[in-house]
Amino acid sequence: MRFSVIHLKCETALDTLRSRHGAITDTPAATTATTERNRDATDAFEEHLLPHTLMLLTAARSAIDNMPPARHHGAWLLLVDDLDHAATQIHRILADTPPSGSGAAREQHRALWPYLSVWAEHATVLTNLVDQHRTPAPEFTGDQQTAWNERAQAAHERGELEPFESWYDARGRLITLAYLVEDDASTVLVLAGDLDQPHWQVLGQDDNEYRAGQLAPPPVPPGVLRPRVSRYRPHITAPEVRVQDLIHGVTVAHHSGDVAEALLTAADDTTGAPGPLEDLVELIRTAGEFAEALETRQGRSSAVRLNFIARQLGSLRHELFDAGEELSTAVGVLPPHRAPHPRLLTTPASEPTAPAALTTTPPSTAAPASTPVRQR
């Protein structure tokens, strides 16, 4: 979390220094922002993690060794090896102690950032693996489990079972914490299985959310949608055209060609800079991909719905593009009676048609913009 805050602070600062096409407009300020990020990340790692890297890596490896076999263990071990390599490089670089604030210190922090970002990226993986050494409470069995299963399933049918957190355990079970609401009172249940499929079970119960989570089987590292994407790795995006800019362009336009250009820009997907509608289609498609990857009944249902919406928007984009091209051939211009309102002159309400009634008002004492101006 600390690394995420540091990284977000830097990215926010850099965003304020970019032009509408993504280019940095103030290089010294951008350098200052990244220098502060590198320094703060180094200080945080030295204070909280540096003395414990070996212990954490050892605990993560032993946790994997003690789990029931699973196909993803090899991938986790590679991540632990990656963290081990990064830790080795961090210790090596920090062996030198340049004066604080010096150019050598700034260069040291810059060299550390790629390795620190690896630890930040895989912090959840490491935490979940280390947490496998926690012993959960005994699970409900026999008549006790049967009774709780019946109560929970009845509440689920009434709409009074409210899930609020879920994860997978080392046995590959989907674990969910849910409120069981009965007679205006609630308790927290630990459930195993997909709640939208039959045969899920109640593993445990507690009146407190935190204690229920501690009694439950600990979570293993969650998956990712696209394994090669990293939040800490710079990503280059095509220049973005904001919808607000397109709207403003239409409101100040005089000719139909200008409006047609805005519509075509919004719908275009043939250039290196896709229009806002195409970006929205991509967002919804990606959300559908994520929902499908959940591998639950509700996830599959959401994926179908999102993919349907994406197809509808895709059709709408084609319609909008055709409408823009049609408008571009109109060669239209707004009629002159749609005259703009004056900015510095006001027309008295009692004499709306008398030209002599116009008075010049100095900018410093100008009437509010909301003052009505009557049309002839």
Side-chain angles (χ1 to χ4, degrees):
M1 180 63 71
R2 181 83 172 269
F3 279 83
S4 295
V5 171
I6 293 170
H7 178 68
L8 179 60
K9 178 183 176 182
C10 177
E11 289 300 299
T12 301
L14 293 178
D15 285 342
T16 65
L17 303 174
R18 289 191 175 97
S19 69
R20 62 183 297 179
H21 301 296
I24 294 293
T25 58
D26 189 340
T27 302
T31 300
T32 298
T34 54
T35 297
E36 291 178 353
R37 177 203 67 186
N38 298 342
R39 181 199 63 209
D40 293 346
T42 299
D43 291 344
F45 191 90
E46 283 191 282
E47 180 180 357
H48 298 289
L49 285 175
L50 187 63
H52 311 294
T53 54
L54 179 59
M55 180 273 291
L56 292 171
L57 294 167
T58 302
R61 288 192 176 99
S62 66
I64 297 174
D65 290 341
N66 293 325
M67 288 181 187
R71 62 182 181 181
H72 43 262
H73 287 180
W76 287 348
L77 286 170
L78 283 176
L79 289 175
V80 175
D81 290 343
D82 198 34
L83 288 166
D84 196 348
H85 174 74
T88 299
Q89 297 304 314
I90 292 170
H91 282 275
R92 178 186 61 79
I93 294 171
L94 288 175
D96 295 329
T97 54
S100 178
S102 65
R106 289 191 293 273
E107 178 59 27
Q108 183 186 62
H109 297 159
R110 186 196 64 77
L112 282 168
W113 171 252
Y115 303 111
L116 298 177
S117 65
V118 169
W119 275 76
E121 184 73 31
H122 302 320
T124 301
V125 174
L126 194 63
T127 301
N128 289 154
L129 289 176
V130 172
D131 196 40
Q132 295 303 307
H133 295 285
R134 173 172 60 83
T135 302
E139 299 176 3
F140 287 164
T141 57
D143 293 341
Q144 184 184 35
Q145 186 177 71
T146 300
W148 277 105
N149 284 348
E150 292 175 353
R151 287 178 61 181
Q153 289 168 1
H156 188 41
E157 292 175 359
R158 298 192 306 268
E160 295 179 343
L161 189 66
E162 303 174 3
F164 63 90
E165 188 176 359
S166 63
W167 62 84
Y168 282 92
D169 71 355
R171 292 169 54 185
R173 299 179 299 179
L174 179 61
I175 306 298
T176 301
L177 299 184
Y179 297 112
L180 173 64
V181 182
E182 294 176 319
D183 300 325
D184 296 328
S186 66
T187 186
V188 181
L189 298 184
V190 181
L191 311 171
D194 183 354
L195 301 188
D196 293 310
Q197 300 279 18
H199 310 308
W200 52 271
Q201 295 180 319
V202 180
L203 301 185
Q205 171 272 334
D206 199 279
D207 294 332
N208 179 273
E209 296 174 8
Y210 176 78
R211 287 198 304 267
Q214 292 300 301
L215 295 174
V220 297
V224 295
L225 184 61
R226 295 178 181 170
R228 295 189 181 278
V229 175
S230 168
R231 71 176 62 193
Y232 296 103
R233 191 174 300 162
H235 59 281
I236 306 299
T237 57
E240 179 183 2
V241 180
R242 299 190 309 163
V243 176
Q244 293 90 334
D245 292 337
L246 297 176
I247 295 172
H248 180 70
V250 171
T251 57
V252 300
H254 300 290
H255 299 272
S256 59
D258 298 327
V259 179
E261 182 180 357
L263 294 178
L264 293 172
T265 299
D268 193 14
D269 68 342
T270 60
T271 66
L277 192 54
E278 179 64 18
D279 284 339
L280 180 59
V281 172
E282 181 62 21
L283 167 64
I284 296 172
R285 284 174 179 160
T286 306
E289 183 183 349
F290 181 93
E292 180 71 29
L294 293 175
E295 299 182 8
T296 63
R297 181 177 179 180
Q298 183 60 54
R300 288 188 290 271
S301 175
S302 296
V304 169
R305 187 174 187 180
L306 288 165
N307 291 333
F308 175 71
I309 295 172
R311 288 193 297 271
Q312 285 185 311
L313 281 176
S315 298
L316 176 61
R317 184 181 60 76
H318 291 300
E319 291 288 336
L320 181 59
F321 196 87
D322 290 343
E325 288 191 320
E326 181 182 51
L327 187 60
S328 69
T329 64
V331 195
V333 61
L334 292 175
H337 69 80
R338 304 183 67 90
H341 287 191
R343 295 293 181 261
L344 301 178
L345 300 180
T346 59
T347 304
S350 58
E351 298 284 340
T353 60
L358 291 175
T359 59
T360 301
T361 306
S364 59
T365 58
S370 59
T371 302
V373 179
R374 296 189 180 181
Q375 300 282 349
R376 298 197 189 193

